[in-house]
Amino acid sequence: MKTIKDISKNIRNKGLDPYNLENLLDELKSQPKDFDKDEIIDFLASNQHFAYHSTQNDISWLMAQIGQLYKPQKIVDLSCGLGNILFHIDYCNSEGFEIDKNIVDIANFISPTIKITNVDSLEYEHDEKYDAIISHFPFGRTQINGRKDNFENVFITKSLDLLNKEGVLICLVPERLLYANNNEIFRENIIDENYLKGIISLPSGFFQKTAIKMSILIIEKNKSEKATHFIQYSNSEETLNNFINNKSGFFIEKELLQKRRDTNYHHPKHSILEESLNNEETKRISELSKVIVGYNRQVIKKEKGDFLLLQPRNIKNGLLSIFDSNSFLDKSDLNNRTDNILKEGDIVIPRMFNDFKKLYIYEGNSQPSVAGPHLIILRSQNNEYLRTYLTTIEGRELFNQQIQRNIKSGTMPLISVNDVKNFRIPILPIEDIHLLTKDNLGTLSQIQLKEIKDKLEKSNQLNSNLKEENLTLKARVSLTNEMISKLDLLINKTEIIESKIDKVLDQITILTQDFQKIKNLPRDEESKILRMQQQLDDKLNLLLKEKLGIKGYIDEIKIWFELWEMLEPESKKFIPQAEFLLDQISELEDADYSPFIIQYSRALENEILIKLFNTYHEYLITENVDRDKLTANEFANSKTVSFAKSVKKDDRKYTFGTMNFIISLLKKDGNTLSQSILLQNFKNYTNKYFADNILEKQYLKKLNRIVTDYRNKAAHPNIINQKSAMEFHELIKECLIEFAEGNREKPAGNTV
């Protein structure tokens, strides 16, 4: 006796395509034997070449039986395929629509009594309404009304429109419909206008040829405030009985069905977690840390490069493992997405979550790495607090439970960036939780540290008796004990630190007094500024030998200045030193912030000098430009003569004031620019290697303000107060960022 597989061999032996449905149907019709419906359906569903997804008998029967509970007169299946759901409907009139003609022909061959019409049910003009629609909707996306949408969304909308009042939709859909962020508004509309009576969750891998997790939805076309029944599928008969008798599973009130509707998220096993979090003071991770998804752009991976492309498999038991098969990227591959470059203290967790041991804390001396697309980075000033929390057993458990609740069960367990942002962390009884970072604790006095320790110890006394029944309290007690141990170590060091701080304040006082003497000298601004810079170098070298937290300033700067690594070495010294001066000067009475302004200005001055003016000189030499010819006509012009002399002699000693003046001459439609070949050449070079904003009026105005309103005034006898210093602080940061972002890569050889 021939089987369906023998039929396929016959087609191949005739030199025809055995996966062509027309060939298959012709061969079936030529056989004397009638083939069983299920044998043909299973053959098509189990073979990848046919791309046919079947609704297997037990699920078709279950959906049909649920439909019978509503005593319908007319049922339709809008995407019926071979009609397996319709086959189980024998209690009323039914029909199906199918877009694939070959599938319709085979369906009519194996089930001739079932009415199936070959139409696109989404485009078809239906002339009647139905009491029930029972369907297994197709996967993927479709174009509808000029925009793309998921098939299940479009079919559900169409189905509800075709139902009679009080009608019911029973549909089989991918579970992503119940949790995906891009479906949130659609879900809300369905719940608001209709009654989601039940969700039957099927196990992953339940259907042939797909690992997509599926659910059966029962949606009644009427508004209701009743709860939704969540049921985990066991077998068809038991599941039907549970649905009919409101047994098994659990019920969730409509008002609690917010954002997500999937079974895992609302499962009662998470209620203890939710109660624990709600009863204690917590903060969302987004309030404590920046949450960054790993680099997900398509690039050509290399065997060697600037950065290891870090994947979850590289993280094992909290350590970094490197394999021969690892891929690497160069910095140029990142397209300025430097956020994905790991920094010291970054907490890295995988998006595809199976084991919390995958958590990794990046150390500064580790292999330079970029987080890959399946990783999430937690980055902030407060990572020390998070790090301490996540190294406790209870902290890991509480974090892991939130992961297990929020996992999206598609083809593989996945956690989203938005989910992680909303994870909650127990907060210790300290008004400013940022004080508990390592760097901040290092700045507190002995009295302040003891006050914090006392608060933590009192909190532990209150919580210890209750912690056995509350996981959040367990995590808090464990975290508190860790923090108390750290505080004990710090308190022992504070006396030495505070004596060093007193010395620092004495030196800062002397520095400001020296500055006042220089300001009163009968010299020009640039001469006085040069002397001030020499004083700053001498005093700062002495002060920073004490290493009083300068690294903490660098870490803070990196938060707002993402292109830190592109700065010149001297600039990397000037900026944190200036921030250090700002804090120290603020401790003085009648403070003069001139040292802070001079030091910060040096950073921008250094960047412009090296990246623009020095590279321009280098460019002229490398390209063998005739500098005598270039500057020949400039010496008669009082505005360009100084620049011409520097270019001709290759003298690269420009002051900030001189550079500001030269750059200001490059403004569009300027008279001097139109008459100067040198300035035109310099402007062409600047436009080639810098973004347009560097020469725009707005940026030039900011640059001029820094030089004339702040830097030069710092050399005048008057005192610069805190308000002016803070205005300058914001302005200089803006200019540094814009200059760094506008700097394009120069060809090899054009650097100094």
Side-chain angles (χ1 to χ4, degrees), residues 119-136:
V119 296
D120 181 349
S121 57
L122 294 176
E123 300 291 340
Y124 182 64
E125 292 291 335
H126 299 265
D127 56 4
E128 60 180 316
K129 299 281 188 179
Y130 301 92
D131 302 312
I133 296 176
I134 307 178
S135 291
H136 176 174

Side-chain angles (χ1 to χ4, degrees), residues 186-203:
F186 178 78
R187 290 193 297 268
E188 288 177 357
N189 291 338
I190 293 298
I191 297 300
D192 287 344
E193 298 301 322
N194 304 279
Y195 171 38
L196 180 58
K197 180 175 177 60
I199 298 174
I200 300 173
S201 181
L202 303 172

